Every structure is written in C-alpha cells, then in structure tokens.
Amino acid sequence: MDLQHIFANNEKWIKHKLDIDKDYFNNLIKGQRPEILYIGCSDSRVSAEELMGVKPGDVFVHRNIANMVSNTDLNVQTVVNFAVKHLKVKHAVVCGHYYCGGVKAAMQSADMGILNPWLRSIRDVYRLHQKELDTIEDEEPRYKRLVELNVQEQCINVIKTASVQKAYKERDFQVHGWVFDVKTGKLNDLKIDFEAILEDIMRIYKIS
Ligand code: CO
C-alpha cells in the first residue's frame, strides 16, 4: 500500500465533510459525548466504526488482540474507567469475531513468546467452559463457541469493575456481548443477561 494514498484520501475526506457541513470540524473540537464504549479485537478486518456505521464522536473504542478485558491490564481498565465514570457512556460492548486469530492461537499449543500470557487468559476461558467445549467434536464450531464464550467472560470482567457496578446502581447503564461474523459481515447480539450475571457475581466481586 502506498502511504501517499492515505494522505490523499484524508484530503478528500476533509473536503467531503466540509461540503456537507462547513462547521463539521468546529463542532468536533467542542468535545466528545459518546454513548457507547466498544471493546473489540485489533484484527484489521473488524473495523469497529465501519461495521457499525457510526460517525466520529459516537463510540469510544478500545481494541486489543482477542478483545480481552484483563483485570491487570492497566490500559483496558483505564479505558473502561474513563468511559464509564467520566464520559458516562450508557452502553459497554465487548465485540468478538469469528475467525479470530488470537482465539485460534489459544486453541493450539505453540510457544508464542510475549503473546503467551495474553493467550493464557483465553485458555482460562477454555478451561472454565471445558465441559461444554469438549462436547463439540468438530474444530470449527468449537472455535466459534470459544469466541462467544470469550466475549461472555470479558463482559463479566467489565461487570467486575467498580465503575461499572457504581454506574449500574446510579444510572441507565448496560453491558452487551456481540460477535461479528467475518464470513457474512453480520453483527450478532449474544443477548447476555447482564443483570443476572451482575446479581450472580456481586456476591464475590461486590465493591461496596
Ligand atoms: Co481477533
């Protein structure tokens, strides 16, 4: 890819935006008030804004390999805290995707160097749901199910945080688990029962 194209595209984009609304950028600098926090995979095929059809300013985005919400990852924890506590988003979304290389790597045994501890967290999800996963004989559906269960577990990790528990008690706030299918382009809501999970885990993870 010729990087010069990117700058040419950027010039075209600026012109396009200003043609529609001459104050477009003047309005953008006033600040952001996104209602959605999106935590997705870094995979180049799963472009958060494009697949959702949203505009700049609509969604606060965090992406990493396999959309993980690790309890000790200062980066994702800071993003969740800032989005929930300060931006006061109404929705937190964890969006996984089928054909995820990170999840696939976690299903195979290979020494991936610096990636090992990261993949270990996905293997923890496998271990938690081993009974169910091991009943799925074929690799492809098992891999897809692990993608879904990983989304569910990362939603639980979001729910464990103090800022989310507080937001849920005090205002309109929900956590959602979604999966994007690279094969069809379809975005599916896993319909995770956020309230039931919250009730269930509060006994252990309750902050106050
Ligand atoms: Co991925």
Side-chain angles (χ1 to χ4, degrees), residues 37-52 60-69 76 93-105 115 118-119 122 143 147 150-151 154 178-182 187:
L37 160 66
Y38 170 100
I39 299 165
C41 184
S42 297
D43 192 305
S44 58
R45 300 162 300 175
V46 191
S47 57
E49 287 90 347
E50 190 173 321
L51 76 89
M52 290 189 283
F60 197 67
V61 173
H62 178 81
R63 293 168 69 179
N64 62 36
I65 292 173
N67 41 270
M68 302 301 287
V69 182
V76 71
V93 172
V94 175
C95 184
H97 69 103
Y98 298 135
Y99 309 95
C100 182
V103 173
K104 181 116 198 163
L115 258 176
W118 198 258
L119 298 179
I122 310 172
Y143 169 30
V147 165
N150 185 45
V151 166
Q154 303 321 314
W178 296 350
V179 172
F180 176 73
D181 190 346
V182 179
L187 186 61

Side-chain angles (χ1 to χ4, degrees), residues 60-82:
F60 197 67
V61 173
H62 178 81
R63 293 168 69 179
N64 62 36
I65 292 173
N67 41 270
M68 302 301 287
V69 182
S70 293
N71 298 313
T72 52
D73 175 9
L74 191 57
N75 190 349
V76 71
Q77 292 298 327
T78 304
V79 167
V80 170
N81 190 275
F82 181 70

Side-chain angles (χ1 to χ4, degrees), residues 6 15 44 64 69 112 116 130 140 177 200-202 208:
I6 287 175
K15 192 178 175 315
S44 58
N64 62 36
V69 182
M112 302 286 280
N116 287 339
Q130 194 168 12
E140 175 131 354
D200 216 29
I201 70 166
M202 277 293 243
S208 59

